[in-house]
Amino acid sequence: MDLVFSALADPTRRAVVQRLGRGPGSVSELAREFPMALPSFMKHVGVLETSGLIRTRKSGRVRSCELNRDRLEAVEGWLTAQRRSWEKHVDRLQFFVEAEIDDPTIAETTADQERS
């Protein structure tokens, strides 16, 4: 998972992933969209491939890239679990804030009960 988030930390690589979401493309086709030399772009492709976000295959002189949707689904699953966890925390925080506004002793009593 760390490799995926590290790969997605770069705007060029995020743009490549976004572009590959519309379908496969050759490295040269993808590279045309970015103001850098092909060897520099290939480093980005390597990082994306190492992270598992894309797959490449070579046919003759053409290297094609495609999105690895399974890897993205794994990330989406992890993010969904994190979102649920944070929503529970926010809901509890909201309860305490509202309780404190309505009756300051309710929030104190509930917090004391949770500590026991």
Side-chain angles (χ1 to χ4, degrees), residues 1-18 44 47-48 51 53-54 67 71-72 75-76 79:
M1 195 71 63
D2 291 344
L3 290 174
V4 171
F5 286 116
S6 180
L8 293 174
D10 182 86
T12 297
R13 293 191 288 265
R14 286 193 307 270
V16 170
V17 168
Q18 187 174 9
H44 288 289
V47 170
L48 289 168
S51 74
L53 286 168
I54 69 170
L67 196 58
R71 189 69 166 148
L72 285 176
V75 171
E76 181 181 16
L79 289 171

Coordinates of all heavy atoms in Angstrom, one line a residue, residues 1-18 44 47-48 51 53-54 67 71-72 75-76 79:
M1 N 0.8 -1.2 0.0 CA 0.0 0.0 0.0 C 0.9 1.3 0.0 O 0.5 2.2 -0.6 CB -0.9 -0.1 1.2 CG -2.1 0.9 1.2 SD -3.4 0.6 0.0 CE -4.0 -1.0 0.6
D2 N 2.0 1.2 0.7 CA 2.9 2.4 0.8 C 3.4 2.7 -0.6 O 3.5 3.9 -0.9 CB 4.1 2.1 1.7 CG 3.7 2.0 3.2 OD1 2.6 2.4 3.5 OD2 4.5 1.5 4.0
L3 N 3.7 1.7 -1.4 CA 4.2 2.0 -2.8 C 3.2 2.7 -3.6 O 3.5 3.6 -4.4 CB 4.7 0.7 -3.4 CG 5.9 0.1 -2.9 CD1 6.2 -1.3 -3.6 CD2 7.1 1.0 -3.1
V4 N 1.9 2.3 -3.4 CA 0.8 2.9 -4.2 C 0.7 4.4 -3.8 O 0.7 5.3 -4.7 CB -0.5 2.2 -4.0 CG1 -1.7 3.0 -4.6 CG2 -0.4 0.8 -4.5
F5 N 0.7 4.7 -2.5 CA 0.5 6.1 -2.1 C 1.7 6.9 -2.5 O 1.6 8.1 -2.9 CB 0.2 6.2 -0.6 CG -1.2 5.8 -0.3 CD1 -1.5 4.7 0.4 CD2 -2.3 6.5 -0.9 CE1 -2.8 4.3 0.7 CE2 -3.6 6.1 -0.6 CZ -3.8 5.0 0.2
S6 N 2.9 6.3 -2.4 CA 4.1 7.0 -2.8 C 4.1 7.3 -4.3 O 4.4 8.4 -4.8 CB 5.3 6.2 -2.5 OG 6.5 6.8 -2.9
A7 N 3.6 6.4 -5.1 CA 3.5 6.6 -6.6 C 2.5 7.7 -6.9 O 2.7 8.5 -7.8 CB 3.1 5.3 -7.3
L8 N 1.4 7.7 -6.2 CA 0.3 8.7 -6.4 C 0.7 10.1 -5.8 O -0.1 11.0 -6.1 CB -1.0 8.2 -5.9 CG -1.6 7.0 -6.6 CD1 -2.8 6.5 -5.8 CD2 -1.9 7.3 -8.0
A9 N 1.8 10.2 -5.1 CA 2.1 11.5 -4.6 C 2.6 12.4 -5.6 O 2.6 13.6 -5.4 CB 3.2 11.3 -3.5
D10 N 3.0 11.9 -6.8 CA 3.5 12.8 -7.9 C 2.4 13.1 -8.9 O 1.7 12.2 -9.3 CB 4.6 12.0 -8.6 CG 5.2 12.8 -9.7 OD1 6.1 13.6 -9.4 OD2 4.7 12.7 -10.8
P11 N 2.2 14.4 -9.2 CA 1.2 14.8 -10.1 C 1.3 14.2 -11.5 O 0.3 13.9 -12.2 CB 1.3 16.3 -10.2 CG 2.6 16.7 -9.6 CD 3.0 15.5 -8.8
T12 N 2.5 13.9 -12.0 CA 2.6 13.3 -13.3 C 2.1 11.9 -13.3 O 1.3 11.5 -14.2 CB 4.1 13.3 -13.8 OG1 4.6 14.6 -13.9 CG2 4.3 12.6 -15.1
R13 N 2.4 11.1 -12.3 CA 2.0 9.8 -12.2 C 0.5 9.7 -11.9 O -0.2 8.8 -12.5 CB 2.7 9.0 -11.1 CG 4.2 8.9 -11.4 CD 4.9 7.9 -10.5 NE 5.2 8.5 -9.2 CZ 6.3 9.1 -8.8 NH1 7.3 9.3 -9.7 NH2 6.5 9.5 -7.6
R14 N -0.1 10.7 -11.2 CA -1.6 10.7 -11.0 C -2.2 10.9 -12.4 O -3.2 10.3 -12.7 CB -2.0 11.8 -10.0 CG -1.7 11.4 -8.6 CD -2.4 12.3 -7.6 NE -2.1 13.7 -7.8 CZ -1.2 14.4 -7.3 NH1 -0.3 13.8 -6.5 NH2 -1.0 15.7 -7.5
A15 N -1.6 11.8 -13.2 CA -2.2 12.1 -14.5 C -2.1 10.9 -15.4 O -3.0 10.6 -16.2 CB -1.5 13.3 -15.1
V16 N -1.0 10.1 -15.3 CA -0.9 8.9 -16.1 C -2.0 7.9 -15.7 O -2.6 7.3 -16.6 CB 0.5 8.3 -16.0 CG1 0.6 6.9 -16.6 CG2 1.5 9.2 -16.6
V17 N -2.2 7.7 -14.4 CA -3.2 6.8 -13.9 C -4.6 7.2 -14.4 O -5.4 6.4 -14.9 CB -3.2 6.7 -12.4 CG1 -4.4 6.0 -11.9 CG2 -1.9 5.9 -12.0
Q18 N -4.8 8.5 -14.3 CA -6.1 9.1 -14.8 C -6.3 8.8 -16.3 O -7.4 8.4 -16.7 CB -6.2 10.6 -14.5 CG -7.5 11.2 -14.8 CD -7.6 12.6 -14.3 OE1 -6.6 13.2 -14.0 NE2 -8.8 13.2 -14.4
H44 N 8.9 7.4 -14.4 CA 7.5 7.5 -13.8 C 6.8 6.2 -14.1 O 6.1 5.6 -13.2 CB 6.7 8.6 -14.4 CG 7.2 10.0 -13.9 ND1 7.0 10.4 -12.6 CD2 7.9 11.0 -14.5 CE1 7.5 11.6 -12.4 NE2 8.1 12.0 -13.6
V47 N 8.0 3.5 -11.7 CA 7.4 3.6 -10.3 C 6.0 3.1 -10.3 O 5.6 2.4 -9.4 CB 7.5 5.1 -9.9 CG1 6.7 5.3 -8.6 CG2 8.9 5.5 -9.7
L48 N 5.2 3.5 -11.3 CA 3.8 3.0 -11.4 C 3.7 1.5 -11.5 O 2.9 0.8 -10.9 CB 3.1 3.7 -12.5 CG 2.8 5.2 -12.3 CD1 2.3 5.8 -13.6 CD2 1.7 5.4 -11.2
S51 N 4.7 -0.2 -8.2 CA 3.6 -0.1 -7.2 C 2.4 -1.0 -7.5 O 1.6 -1.2 -6.6 CB 3.1 1.4 -7.2 OG 2.3 1.7 -8.3
L53 N 0.2 -0.4 -9.8 CA -0.9 0.4 -10.4 C -1.1 0.2 -11.9 O -2.2 0.3 -12.4 CB -0.7 1.9 -10.1 CG -1.0 2.3 -8.7 CD1 -0.5 3.7 -8.4 CD2 -2.5 2.2 -8.3
I54 N 0.0 -0.1 -12.6 CA -0.1 -0.3 -14.0 C 0.7 -1.6 -14.4 O 1.5 -2.0 -13.6 CB 0.4 0.8 -14.9 CG1 1.9 1.0 -14.8 CG2 -0.3 2.1 -14.5 CD1 2.5 2.0 -15.8
L67 N -3.9 0.1 -16.9 CA -4.2 0.2 -15.5 C -4.5 -1.1 -14.9 O -5.2 -2.0 -15.5 CB -5.5 1.2 -15.4 CG -5.8 1.8 -14.1 CD1 -4.6 2.6 -13.6 CD2 -7.0 2.7 -14.2
R71 N -5.6 -3.4 -8.3 CA -4.8 -2.7 -7.3 C -5.5 -1.5 -6.8 O -5.5 -1.1 -5.6 CB -3.4 -2.3 -7.9 CG -2.5 -1.7 -6.9 CD -2.0 -2.8 -6.0 NE -0.8 -2.3 -5.3 CZ -0.5 -2.7 -4.1 NH1 -1.2 -3.5 -3.4 NH2 0.6 -2.2 -3.5
L72 N -6.2 -0.8 -7.7 CA -7.0 0.4 -7.4 C -8.2 0.0 -6.5 O -8.5 0.7 -5.5 CB -7.5 1.1 -8.6 CG -6.5 1.9 -9.3 CD1 -7.1 2.5 -10.6 CD2 -5.9 3.0 -8.5
V75 N -6.9 -0.4 -2.9 CA -6.8 0.9 -2.3 C -8.1 1.5 -1.9 O -8.3 2.0 -0.8 CB -6.0 1.9 -3.3 CG1 -6.0 3.3 -2.7 CG2 -4.6 1.4 -3.5
E76 N -9.1 1.4 -2.8 CA -10.4 1.9 -2.5 C -11.0 1.2 -1.3 O -11.6 1.8 -0.5 CB -11.3 1.7 -3.7 CG -12.7 2.2 -3.5 CD -13.6 2.0 -4.7 OE1 -13.3 1.2 -5.6 OE2 -14.7 2.7 -4.7
L79 N -9.3 2.7 1.7 CA -9.8 4.0 2.0 C -11.2 4.0 2.5 O -11.6 4.8 3.4 CB -9.8 4.9 0.7 CG -8.4 5.3 0.2 CD1 -8.4 5.9 -1.1 CD2 -7.7 6.2 1.2

